[in-house]
Amino acid sequence: MSTLDLDSLIALAQSRRATRHFKPEELPDGVLSKLLEAARWAPSGYNLQPTRFVVVTDPATKAKLRLACMDQAQVAEAPAVVVFCGDRAVVRHNLGAMVAAERANGSMDAAYEAQMRKFIGLAFGTGPLGLGWLGKAIAPMLRPMLSIPSIPAVHRNFWLGKQAALCAMSFMLAAEAAGLNTCPMEGFDPTRLRKALGLPRGLVPMIVVPVGYTATPGVTKTRLSLDRP
C-alpha cells in the first residue's frame, strides 16, 4: 500500500521544475541507483521495457556530451547525466525474458502468451509476414471503418520516445522526492551524442536528464488552468 497521499503527490509534481544551472556538489551515495530503480518501474508498451539508461559522471565525457547538447551548461555542471535511450531491437532482446518473468510471476498464462507473441510479431514485424510498411499503406483505407493504432514497426522511434518519456518522468519525480533537481532535454544532436557516448547502433537517444542540486533555488513555475478554452 502506498504511503504517499494524493495531495502530497500533487505537491511533488508542482514543485518539480527544470533547472539550468547546478551546484558542483556530488550526489549522496546510492541515491542515483534508487532513482533508476524508480524509472525501471515505469510502464511500457506490451511490457517490453525498451528504455536503456546511460549514466554519465566522468567530466571529460560530460564535456563531449555538452557539445552534442548545443553547448548547454547544465550538462557539464550536473554531477550526473542520464541519457534515456530506446532499444530498436527490444523484441529480440527482451520478449523472451519478459514472458518468462511474467509466467513465473503468475501474471501470464499460456493462452495470453500466445496472443501476446502473435500480436507483437505483427506490430513489430518488418518482413513479408509482418505489418510493416504494408500496414502503413492500408491504414488510411481502413481508418474510416476501424480504429488503427500506431504500428511500432513503422513508427519505431516515435514509439520508443513515448516509452523513454514515461521512464524519464518517473526518474524526475523520484529525484524531486529525494531533494534533487533535474532538467529534461531534447535539444541535442543525436549523431554527436551517440559518438560521444559510443552508443551501439540499435540504441536511440531520446531524452537527456542532468540531475543534481540547483544553483538557482526558489524559482517557481506556472501551468495553464485545466478549464482554459
Side-chain angles (χ1 to χ4, degrees):
M1 179 181 296
S2 174
T3 58
L4 182 66
D5 62 61
L6 179 57
D7 288 339
S8 296
L9 180 58
I10 293 173
L12 182 69
Q14 291 172 335
S15 65
R16 193 218 61 77
R17 184 185 186 279
T19 184
R20 302 294 176 184
H21 293 285
F22 290 87
K23 295 178 181 179
E25 185 176 338
E26 295 300 315
L27 300 178
D29 290 343
V31 72
L32 186 55
S33 295
K34 290 184 177 180
L35 302 185
L36 294 173
E37 181 67 9
R40 183 174 75 92
W41 282 94
S44 64
Y46 318 103
N47 196 25
L48 282 174
Q49 305 161 61
T51 306
R52 298 289 179 270
F53 314 126
V54 180
V55 178
V56 183
T57 57
D58 173 62
T61 305
K62 284 193 294 179
K64 294 178 183 178
L65 197 58
R66 174 176 178 168
L67 293 177
C69 293
M70 328 308 288
D71 199 32
Q72 296 183 72
Q74 63 266 33
V75 174
E77 292 175 355
V81 179
V82 180
V83 181
F84 293 79
C85 301
D87 181 4
R88 289 184 57 87
V90 64
V91 174
R92 174 162 52 88
H93 291 158
N94 284 11
L95 179 58
M98 182 274 289
V99 167
E102 291 288 279
R103 291 296 299 272
N105 189 51
S107 304
M108 179 184 293
D109 59 20
Y112 186 64
E113 176 186 346
Q115 181 183 20
M116 176 74 78
R117 287 183 179 277
K118 179 179 179 180
F119 183 79
I120 288 176
L122 289 171
F124 287 83
T126 54
L129 299 180
L131 289 175
W133 291 102
L134 177 61
K136 184 177 182 180
I138 66 175
M141 294 182 287
L142 295 178
R143 189 159 281 118
M145 298 172 286
L146 300 170
S147 295
I148 307 297
S150 175
I151 302 169
V154 180
H155 308 287
R156 185 71 55 94
N157 283 8
F158 175 68
W159 181 82
L160 289 171
K162 291 189 289 184
Q163 316 312 310
L166 290 169
C167 287
M169 191 70 251
S170 293
F171 177 89
M172 290 187 290
L173 286 175
E176 190 70 23
L180 298 169
N181 305 97
T182 54
C183 181
M185 301 171 60
E186 298 178 275
F188 56 84
D189 181 330
T191 300
R192 293 189 71 171
L193 189 149
R194 290 169 56 85
K195 184 176 181 180
L197 299 181
L199 296 179
R201 188 168 186 174
L203 280 189
V204 184
M206 295 294 178
I207 305 173
V208 175
V209 182
V211 57
Y213 296 97
T214 183
T216 55
V219 180
T220 59
K221 65 182 178 184
T222 64
R223 287 292 184 268
L224 300 177
S225 65
L226 289 173
D227 59 356
R228 69 184 183 275

